Amino acid sequence: MNREEAIVNSICGRFPFLADRIYIQKDKRIFTKSLLREEFEQVIAYVHDELNFTRVSHVVGTDDGENLGLLYIFSGSEDILLILRESVPKSNPVIKSISDMYPSIVLHERELVDLFGVVVEGLPEGPHYPLPDGWPEGNYPMRKEWNPKHFNKDTMTYEEPQEKEVQKNE
Amino acid sequence: MSLIKKAIDWGTKKSPWIIHFNAGACNGCDIETIDSLTPRYDLERVGILKQGSPRHADVLICTGAVTLQTRDRLIQIYEQMSDPKFVIAIGTCACTGGIFEDCYCVTGGIDSVIPVDVYIPGCAVRPEAIISAVDKLLGSLDNDKKEGGGNYES
Ligand code: SF4
């Protein structure tokens, strides 16, 4: 049994529901398929405390239309990356901040707030990052439905053209 | 032409002082700009000096596309410079917006905000190109005057 399999086995032993959703993509890369919020919170605590994945190097946001996907990349003392995916519905995109375990993630979580409109519970109040000061509320440039062509940079307002709404109603 | 103006012209041409402003570059062009000032190319040996304050500078060297966050700062810095002042746009991003054009927070090249005198395309530009651009800018001052330019007193 190599190192990757040992890690997968220990995660599956603790969380049997993950057995068909965790896979070794190639050498040193362990992926999971999308987890729900509650599952994700349990797994992350275990991974941090027991398996020593104490660093987070990236958070990637994705938008598949109905759900927002979050992809967290963890590393630890060994050269193995563990990639956990979380999925939240766009209508209620609430996640819990993991900055108590990984202090460096605050910057990434702010990016999720600004660019994808994710609501991060437990994230301290702070300025816009990386969007500029004075950016209008409710505009999330990395979401699929947001079109930069409709954004007026001088007045900082977003206006969808009228015809598009007519098409939607039909 | 008054004596003072003549002295200013002479001084500007002999030893232009520059200030470097990153309006939203990926840092590629900034590295090349610094490279042209450090010993390998050493612009300082011909009198081109980097200044810390826009109030002491004649030439504003801008890299990168202008973002919404830097737009007002760029205008402020430009307005703090005393006349005569010149602007050099370094890199494709600074000339046109480059690969960042139409991004949600980018207004375009430097000339979408302030007037630009010299454009240097390239991603990233070579230090030789920067030296050549400063040289051309100074050369163009003479030609400009022949055509009746140089009335920069505002
Ligand atoms: S021109 Fe190229 S190197 Fe220069 S700021 Fe733009 S992307 Fe970077």
Side-chain angles (χ1 to χ4, degrees), chain B residues 23-24 64-68 70-71 74 93 105-113:
Chain B
V66 182
T67 64
L68 294 178
T70 55
R71 179 171 57 182
L74 177 58
C93 294
C105 61
V106 167
T107 63
I110 302 290
D111 57 3
S112 66
V113 179

Side-chain angles (χ1 to χ4, degrees), chain A residues 115 131-133 135 141-142 146 148 151 153-154, chain B residues 68-69 71 73 101-108:
Chain A
L115 300 177
L131 292 178
D133 307 334
W135 186 265
M142 287 295 154
W146 199 90
F151 183 68
K153 288 166 191 160
D154 292 322
Chain B
L68 294 178
Q69 186 78 5
R71 179 171 57 182
R73 280 93 177 161
E101 209 195 353
D102 283 345
C103 182
Y104 56 83
C105 61
V106 167
T107 63

Side-chain angles (χ1 to χ4, degrees), chain B residues 24-29 63-64 90-94 99-100 122-125:
Chain B
C26 74
N27 273 10
C29 287
T63 53
I90 290 190
T92 308
C93 294
I99 52 170
F100 301 114
C123 177
V125 291

Side-chain angles (χ1 to χ4, degrees), chain A residues 11-163:
Chain A
I11 294 180
C12 289
R14 180 73 182 266
F15 305 106
F17 60 82
L18 272 183
D20 53 345
R21 286 192 277 166
I22 188 163
Y23 59 96
I24 299 168
Q25 189 217 24
K26 60 176 185 189
D27 249 16
K28 302 177 190 166
R29 297 288 183 276
I30 305 170
F31 276 73
T32 69
K33 293 183 180 156
S34 288
L35 309 179
L36 298 177
R37 182 185 158 180
E38 306 77 49
E39 299 167 344
F40 182 81
E41 281 164 15
Q42 293 169 19
V43 174
I44 218 158
Y46 176 67
V47 156
H48 177 266
D49 298 340
E50 313 277 327
L51 298 183
N52 259 336
F53 281 94
T54 46
R55 280 193 293 270
V56 60
S57 64
H58 276 67
V59 180
V60 183
T62 57
D63 178 0
D64 70 1
E66 279 167 20
N67 299 307
L68 296 175
L70 311 172
L71 196 147
Y72 292 73
I73 303 173
F74 297 100
S75 63
S77 48
E78 292 184 64
D79 54 353
I80 295 177
L81 295 187
L82 174 67
I83 292 121
L84 296 181
R85 290 201 180 102
E86 185 181 5
S87 171
V88 286
K90 231 187 219 177
S91 50
N92 184 26
V94 184
I95 63 168
K96 188 165 159 264
S97 171
I98 56 171
S99 53
D100 47 346
M101 284 181 270
Y102 301 93
S104 70
I105 205 166
V106 169
L107 228 55
H108 298 288
E109 286 178 344
R110 264 192 216 301
E111 279 190 55
L112 290 176
V113 171
D114 262 21
L115 300 177
F116 284 96
V118 176
V119 180
V120 184
E121 281 174 0
L123 182 69
E125 284 276 313
H128 269 302
Y129 173 79
L131 292 178
D133 307 334
W135 186 265
E137 291 290 314
N139 283 277
Y140 307 118
M142 287 295 154
R143 284 203 182 177
K144 281 267 165 64
E145 69 266 15
W146 199 90
N147 188 341
K149 290 212 173 72
H150 302 153
F151 183 68
N152 185 332
K153 288 166 191 160
D154 292 322
T155 59
M156 291 268 211
T157 49
Y158 185 81
E159 272 171 33
E160 284 210 20
Q162 293 298 315
E163 318 104 71

Side-chain angles (χ1 to χ4, degrees), chain B residues 59-140:
Chain B
V59 182
L60 177 61
I61 289 197
C62 282
T63 53
V66 182
T67 64
L68 294 178
Q69 186 78 5
T70 55
R71 179 171 57 182
D72 296 343
R73 280 93 177 161
L74 177 58
I75 294 173
Q76 263 176 28
I77 284 180
Y78 182 72
E79 283 174 351
Q80 280 179 21
M81 292 170 61
S82 57
D83 283 328
K85 55 188 165 191
F86 310 95
V87 179
I88 302 182
I90 290 190
T92 308
C93 294
C95 294
T96 63
I99 52 170
F100 301 114
E101 209 195 353
D102 283 345
C103 182
Y104 56 83
C105 61
V106 167
T107 63
I110 302 290
D111 57 3
S112 66
V113 179
I114 55 175
V116 174
D117 298 284
V118 181
Y119 297 84
I120 318 175
C123 177
V125 291
R126 304 272 317 149
E128 291 93 336
I130 298 176
I131 295 169
S132 155
V134 176
D135 184 45
K136 283 218 178 82
L137 174 71
L138 301 180
S140 73

